[in-house]
Amino acid sequence: MSIFVPDTETKLYGLLGKTLGHSISPVLHNQAFHDLKLNALYLMLETGEQDLGEYVQSLKNIGFLGWNVTIPHKETIIPYLSGLSSLARDAGAVNTVLNRRGRLTGYNTDVIGFQRQVEETGFIVKDKQAVVLGAGGSARAVIAALIQLDLAKITVVNRTLAHAEEVITIFQEKAPAVEFEFCELEEEKYAAYIKDADLIINTTPVGMYHAQAETKLVINPEYFHDQQLVLDLIYNPLPTELLKAAQAKGAQIGNGLPTLIYQAEASFKLWTKKMPDRSNWLKLGQKAVAEINQQ
Ligand code: NAP
């Protein structure tokens, strides 16, 4: 890609988070701006929890037209926005902001991205049971998508029980037709839920490259079987140890790269009203992950 020189007309976008080290979003968006000949730039926007309000105000003042939001700001950014899309409201989390003449609207394209990935697996999930591992921002997006996909039962398994209960309480009100349960991340408690589940999704960072966790497996993979679809939102490494273990048990598996690509595509479309080249993004994503793993 030739060197891009910004000017006074350059439209600004970015990724707002606390520690962005290995994100591949800038590679994807900047390549698409280049391919579509758009005078635009996607930057890393790092800030901690303390400065979030001031930082958002600065982005608005500078004239950023939109940005993605990641850990740990997906929920805490909400008070600084003027409005939310219905999916962002359902998820209680925002991963994309659109600045329309100073009015900031929050969207959640993770919901769309994850829903699309599940649909493309061909696995029938309607009226089935899912277990969501984790209860953070991405778990909320996953649950909102599972509700759209008409799952019959959703169980949230989480390290901190109170967080799982909080998430379940929010969604129980929004989707009374779905059966919700929650339990702690303890083998004797989660084992039966995992055995009975049709779809299991890891939304925790356990197993992620460079993560601080002592283990690479968030649960004992013993309970996986060949009638299940096991998905991991992590896209680095590809595949995770959890997915390798699930595959060894005969389960259908899927890594986090498709969700990442589809959510990025939906954000890009919101900002520019244009479509990036998806197959190019998939290749770029795989290449970027391979390069990170060589570091
Ligand atoms: P988050 O809001 O910080 O939530 C993290 C969740 O994981 C919490 O429920 C937390 O449990 C649990 N957790 C963290 N460390 C753990 C550990 N060592 N053992 C057990 N549980 C642990 O993060 P997030 O935004 O949901 O993101 C989570 C992961 O999803 C990250 O790896 C991120 O890269 C990935 N992600 C991927 C995509 C994609 O497009 N593929 C999109 C979004 C996110 P507690 O409640 O006990 O703290």
Side-chain angles (χ1 to χ4, degrees), residues 87-128:
L87 283 183
R89 193 171 305 112
D90 285 351
V94 162
N95 82 323
T96 304
V97 173
L98 174 64
N99 180 2
R100 278 193 202 94
R101 290 181 290 281
R103 188 184 150 79
L104 304 182
T105 306
Y107 294 82
N108 196 315
T109 65
D110 285 337
V111 180
I112 300 159
F114 180 74
Q115 184 175 343
R116 181 161 199 167
Q117 173 165 7
V118 173
E119 284 167 347
E120 292 199 347
T121 62
F123 195 91
I124 307 296
V125 294
K126 186 171 164 27
D127 298 328
K128 300 262 176 91

